[in-house]
Amino acid sequence: MATMILEIQTRGLNQYYRLEQFPVTIGRALDNDVILSDNSVSPYHLRLEQDAEGQVFAHNLSSENGTRLNKHQLGLQPVQVPIPSQLLLGNRKLRLASTAMPVETTHVSRCGGLFAPFCQPLWAALLLLLTVVSLLLNDYLNVPVAKEPLFYISGVLPTLVWMLFATLVISGITRLFTHRWEFAPALSVVSLFNLVPMVLEEISGWLSYFLSSDAPFTWLMTGVSGFVLIPALLYVYLHWVLSQKRLPALGIALVLSALPLGLRAISVLDQVTLANEFSSEPYYHQELSSLNIHANPPLPLETYLQRAADALPSQLADE
Amino acid sequence: MSLRLLLLLATLWLGVASPSWAENSSSSIYSDVEASVYQVRVINQQTGKKTAIGSAFVVMRPDIIATNYHVVSTYINNPEGDFALDYLSTSGNTGRLELLAVDVLHDLAVLKADTPLGKPLQIAKIPPKGARLYSLGNPMDKGFSIVEGTNNGVMKSSDDNNILFSGSLNSGMSGGPTLDENKNVVGVNVATSGNGLSYLVPADYLAIILERLKLTGFQADEDIGQRITEQLKSNADKYVQNLQKREWTLQQLGRFKVPMDVTGVVRCWDNSDKPMPDNLMRSYFTQCSNESSIYLDDELEVGTLDYEYVWLDAGEMIPARFYRQYESVNVSVSASGAGKQDVTNFECFTDFTLIAGQEFKMTVCRRDYLNYIGLSDLLVTAALVGHKRQGMLFNLDMTGTTFESGMALLQRMLGDFKWQP
């Protein structure tokens, strides 16, 4: 006969008791066989007994918070317990199982290959460096006057402080799961969170100029950067760094992104509403690019004017 | 820079009415024509109160009076019947008026009363420069007055051909007559820019409307709105045709020669920023304007033509940095105050084109007037591309033109561009 195991589920690592002699008493009092120092548990809460055939019976002793066996409330009569079974003593979850029961497959760290930037410190440092350089470059390109290097550094500092704070928060939360400080993955995620929008903005500006169209900006900036980036980074972090299963990882990522995405959605909705209202200003493609690469070759002036006239008929039907 | 004229429409602003001079000739003229000068009031039918006032005078027939279009524009622009037109005589008589015709280009309106109002004034040619003129009206609703001043001739530099009158016209005198020594009307009071600098519409334009009305037996025009639209459209086309024929001065800006001033029509001003010592980029900015417009409503004027050129030099900046600045100034806005009750939204077309052999990214935007079918605003902006360290912007803003004429003018202007290698 397989040995019985009592699993007491706690955050982090579960406790296991090998049950070799019956009866077994479970409760908060210190003369129990299994002591549960949970104050929702009665001093003498449950007695497990075994009959000659090896059947296990649960005898609920608690009249306070009581016991549930596989979600059914137990009375004061002993009830036979199938193996395995879930027990709820007050608020404390326990599981009665046999040692022969197979355990879950080992979580092998999947952080490698394409996702190596999320877990290797060297990559984290590289991403941080890239982010800082991009921020500095962005500031430098935006300022049309001669400035001291210190000006640009002081411009980047607030972002760096924010990144440090975010890294600490993420690695702090991670520590609750893994019981280790995971600075490198947190720093990678925070760096990417800053770096990706900058890269996307550059790409979408270039593509918008190339196509004389707003579509790249709409898709890359509003769509990808605004709505996909946060849940995607969270998902990658949860699945590949914290080794969460796909579906729970996706669920947690979506729940955590709900607030920022909701706020973005409101602002996008506002923009759409505004775009449909009257505006005294024209809306046109203002992008300019020093590379000057565009899909359409320049038109001769007459052709251009003809196309413009064709493209802009009167907006009033009754003319 | 731009000389903004104040229309002499009362109730919109307050000021101090200048006292009229008491001279013998003035007093005799005033007493002779007093009975032919009226106040015109636009009455809100809901409240029964006047919302705008101006002056008017009896002309050609005892029951016909003339005033400015802008005095009665509230009545015209609200055709649902919310407003009515009234007259008030110097002796305090009042009555209803019927609108017969308008000339929106010269800011004139002709109205008819049910009863004879007084002795019609005669229209005469403008006397020589320096001649004494006497302007009548009811400034600020303070009572009928006469103002003496000097004729300074028809203005050559602007194309509305108004008479420059050195005398102090005030709000509420709009639409009143300006007389020569013989008590004949030579002009209609229209605007002031302060300090005794006032403007009159030559009475010849009024004579034209009256002659036309005489042929129809002084019947009111059936669709005044349609008439105004026709006047604006035909004026817009003629305006551009006239511009096409004129001599445009080509001037150097950066490495381009571009069309700038048009003698007698468009004047250009340099508006470049003063260079700062730490500025890495230099920019040269020229703005051109026809400095004139046609009044349609309190907040709506059309017939403006503005264009500007900006030449940008990157200096030592790297191209990527220069183009960030270049892109940030690549913004074109309309100077018009037209609102959603007046116009549609702008629709734009953008593509690359070659002007004087150089590549430009050019956008043409158009919006249409809701109440003047066939009139549009045209906004054009072109940015020189393909030069790593130089940029040029050309912005053109035309209001109340026909789209075809606007495009024709654009073609003419761009055709004049010359590149200096």
Side-chain angles (χ1 to χ4, degrees):
Chain A
M1 191 185 74
T3 311
M4 219 68 74
I5 282 286
L6 181 70
E7 177 191 86
I8 299 170
Q9 297 176 349
T10 54
R11 188 179 292 284
L13 289 175
N14 294 334
Q15 294 171 28
Y16 291 86
Y17 290 87
R18 192 183 293 269
L19 306 180
E20 283 165 340
Q21 284 182 333
F22 286 89
V24 176
T25 57
I26 305 168
R28 199 149 43 83
L30 299 179
D31 56 348
N32 282 295
D33 297 320
V34 175
I35 303 165
L36 273 181
S37 64
D38 181 320
N39 52 16
S40 69
V41 172
S42 303
Y44 302 96
H45 202 114
L46 185 73
R47 192 167 69 230
L48 295 175
E49 289 163 4
Q50 194 175 37
D51 68 3
E53 286 91 53
Q55 303 282 5
V56 178
F57 290 83
H59 193 167
N60 175 36
L61 309 173
S62 166
S63 57
E64 290 157 331
N65 291 322
T67 305
R68 282 170 179 273
L69 172 65
N70 294 329
K71 299 186 178 166
H72 296 289
Q73 186 76 43
L74 295 186
L76 292 173
Q77 298 304 313
V79 173
Q80 196 198 331
V81 182
I83 307 294
S85 275
Q86 190 81 46
L87 286 160
L88 186 67
L89 276 60
N91 293 330
R92 180 60 55 181
K93 275 184 188 169
L94 287 78
R95 198 157 63 118
L96 198 63
S98 123
T99 47
M101 200 175 76
V103 292
E104 273 186 64
T105 48
T106 315
H107 281 187
V108 180
S109 173
R110 277 166 290 203
C111 205
L114 188 60
F115 298 96
F118 284 97
C119 37
Q120 290 175 6
L122 193 68
W123 267 104
L126 200 66
L127 283 175
L128 177 66
L129 188 71
L130 263 175
T131 309
V132 172
V133 168
S134 302
L135 285 167
L136 285 171
L137 184 67
N138 204 28
D139 277 6
Y140 172 77
L141 293 179
N142 276 336
V143 176
V145 288
K147 292 280 184 192
E148 297 293 313
L150 227 72
F151 170 85
Y152 297 107
I153 291 168
S154 73
V156 168
L157 278 179
T159 315
L160 284 179
V161 169
W162 183 88
M163 284 173 66
L164 179 68
F165 174 73
T167 305
L168 284 174
V169 169
I170 292 179
S171 51
I173 295 170
T174 308
R175 197 182 184 292
L176 295 176
F177 288 93
T178 64
H179 306 277
R180 290 200 299 137
W181 287 102
E182 298 270 15
F183 279 118
L187 189 60
S188 297
V189 165
V190 172
S191 299
L192 283 171
F193 185 73
N194 283 277
L195 186 63
V196 171
M198 282 192 280
V199 173
L200 284 180
E201 186 161 15
E202 198 56 39
I203 293 174
S204 66
W206 190 82
L207 277 176
S208 294
Y209 186 81
F210 180 75
L211 298 170
S212 291
S213 156
D214 290 331
F217 197 85
T218 310
W219 286 105
L220 291 178
M221 287 312 291
T222 313
V224 176
S225 175
F227 285 93
V228 180
L229 183 64
I230 297 179
L233 280 178
L234 280 172
Y235 174 77
V236 165
Y237 186 75
L238 287 162
H239 183 64
W240 273 279
V241 179
L242 300 186
S243 298
Q244 297 293 308
K245 288 192 186 116
R246 286 178 191 279
L247 220 55
L250 187 65
I252 297 171
L254 287 178
V255 167
L256 291 179
S257 337
L259 184 66
L261 294 199
L263 293 175
R264 293 247 164 99
I266 291 170
S267 99
V268 169
L269 211 65
D270 282 352
Q271 284 170 27
V272 172
T273 315
L274 276 180
N276 289 328
E277 300 224 327
F278 175 79
S279 165
S280 60
E281 304 307 339
Y283 179 76
Y284 64 96
H285 308 297
Q286 294 169 339
E287 303 80 25
L288 295 175
S289 161
S290 58
L291 299 174
N292 191 29
I293 303 170
H294 47 86
N296 299 335
L299 301 168
L301 187 57
E302 284 72 26
T303 317
Y304 174 94
L305 292 172
Q306 189 55 50
R307 287 209 190 156
D310 293 344
L312 300 170
S314 167
Q315 295 179 51
L316 300 166
D318 52 342
E319 197 187 349
Chain B
M1 180 203 84
S2 158
L3 207 64
R4 187 48 67 189
L5 302 185
L6 297 178
L7 293 171
L8 302 172
L9 183 66
T11 74
L12 299 178
W13 47 74
L14 290 170
V16 182
S18 71
S20 55
W21 304 332
E23 280 186 24
N24 282 341
S25 54
S26 302
S27 56
S28 95
I29 286 176
Y30 183 78
S31 57
D32 283 0
V33 299
E34 183 186 15
S36 304
V37 179
Y38 281 80
Q39 185 185 61
V40 170
R41 298 116 60 98
V42 181
I43 308 286
N44 186 334
Q45 306 253 50
Q46 298 298 319
T47 60
K49 294 288 172 198
K50 49 186 187 268
T51 177
I53 55 163
S55 302
F57 56 96
V58 183
V59 66
M60 192 170 256
R61 269 187 18 177
D63 60 343
I64 299 295
I65 64 171
T67 184
N68 285 134
Y69 162 82
H70 75 255
V71 170
V72 295
S73 65
T74 310
Y75 173 80
I76 294 170
N77 291 316
N78 296 279
E80 297 84 15
D82 296 339
F83 295 92
L85 296 172
D86 270 7
Y87 64 82
L88 169 73
S89 75
T90 48
S91 52
N93 295 330
T94 66
R96 268 295 123 91
L97 288 168
E98 184 195 4
L99 181 68
L100 295 187
V102 297
D103 177 352
V104 78
L105 307 176
H106 300 105
D107 202 350
L108 292 170
V110 176
L111 307 107
K112 192 167 113 182
D114 298 337
T115 53
L117 295 178
K119 185 173 155 245
L121 299 177
Q122 296 304 309
I123 291 174
K125 288 273 167 219
I126 305 161
K129 197 166 177 173
R132 287 254 143 235
L133 295 178
Y134 305 90
S135 193
L136 285 90
N138 190 340
M140 324 292 293
D141 202 20
K142 304 245 185 232
F144 288 90
S145 312
I146 182 163
V147 174
E148 193 176 338
T150 316
N151 169 33
N152 271 302
V154 174
M155 287 187 297
K156 295 257 168 23
S157 65
S158 119
D159 39 35
D160 48 15
N161 295 324
N162 279 348
I163 302 168
L164 187 59
F165 172 68
S166 300
S168 290
L169 296 186
N170 279 289
S171 306
M173 291 180 78
S174 264
T178 296
L179 311 172
D180 61 12
E181 306 265 5
N182 305 320
K183 296 160 202 153
N184 292 327
V185 183
V186 298
V188 180
N189 308 338
V190 66
T192 179
S193 47
N195 292 329
L197 214 59
S198 301
Y199 304 91
L200 312 171
V201 178
D204 304 354
Y205 296 115
L206 178 60
I208 294 170
I209 313 179
L210 291 171
E211 285 306 321
R212 186 174 64 73
L213 282 172
K214 206 168 157 186
L215 295 177
T216 64
F218 291 91
Q219 285 291 308
D221 281 342
E222 272 190 16
D223 190 342
I224 299 266
Q226 182 60 30
R227 282 271 173 184
I228 295 175
T229 305
E230 282 162 14
Q231 289 169 6
L232 291 170
K233 275 168 75 173
S234 119
N235 176 63
D237 291 340
K238 273 192 213 141
Y239 192 83
V240 167
Q241 281 163 16
N242 171 36
L243 268 176
Q244 303 259 41
K245 278 185 253 159
R246 292 215 180 212
E247 193 77 16
W248 293 59
T249 39
L250 287 183
Q251 271 175 340
Q252 189 85 25
L253 185 80
R255 290 172 69 186
F256 269 103
K257 267 199 165 171
V258 288
M260 288 203 187
D261 300 71
V262 186
T263 317
V265 184
V266 180
R267 288 200 286 182
C268 298
W269 299 79
D270 172 71
N271 229 350
S272 308
D273 289 335
K274 300 269 173 300
M276 302 295 274
D278 57 353
N279 265 5
L280 297 171
M281 185 175 75
R282 279 305 318 268
S283 69
Y284 305 91
F285 185 21
T286 302
Q287 277 183 308
C288 303
S289 171
N290 68 348
E291 295 174 13
S292 90
S293 63
I294 300 162
Y295 174 99
L296 289 180
D297 206 344
D298 280 351
E299 280 154 10
L300 186 62
E301 293 184 7
V302 295
T304 59
L305 167 65
D306 298 272
Y307 47 91
E308 58 190 27
Y309 302 96
V310 188
W311 178 262
L312 299 162
D313 199 321
E316 297 300 307
M317 281 168 126
I318 59 166
R321 197 180 187 191
F322 168 63
Y323 264 73
R324 287 265 177 121
Q325 316 315 318
Y326 189 16
E327 190 177 74
S328 72
V329 294
N330 182 25
V331 181
S332 184
V333 295
S334 167
S336 159
K340 67 174 164 191
Q341 69 281 9
D342 302 314
V343 286
T344 62
N345 268 343
F346 275 109
E347 290 283 342
C348 299
F349 170 83
T350 303
D351 212 332
F352 294 89
T353 185
L354 290 171
I355 302 169
Q358 300 302 308
E359 204 178 315
F360 278 79
K361 184 176 180 179
M362 183 154 81
T363 300
V364 176
C365 298
R366 167 194 189 158
R367 67 178 178 188
D368 299 317
Y369 281 80
L370 301 171
N371 304 321
Y372 307 100
I373 300 291
L375 282 194
S376 308
D377 284 349
L378 191 66
L379 200 67
V380 179
T381 170
L384 176 70
V385 292
H387 293 263
K388 301 267 181 224
R389 292 174 192 273
Q390 274 130 19
M392 186 176 93
L393 292 172
F394 164 63
N395 294 323
L396 171 70
D397 180 8
M398 285 179 86
T399 59
T401 180
T402 62
F403 183 69
E404 293 68 29
S405 287
M407 291 297 275
L409 184 69
L410 173 66
Q411 183 162 19
R412 151 82 206 242
M413 290 185 75
L414 296 179
D416 280 356
F417 278 47
K418 300 274 180 302
W419 175 252
Q420 317 273 302

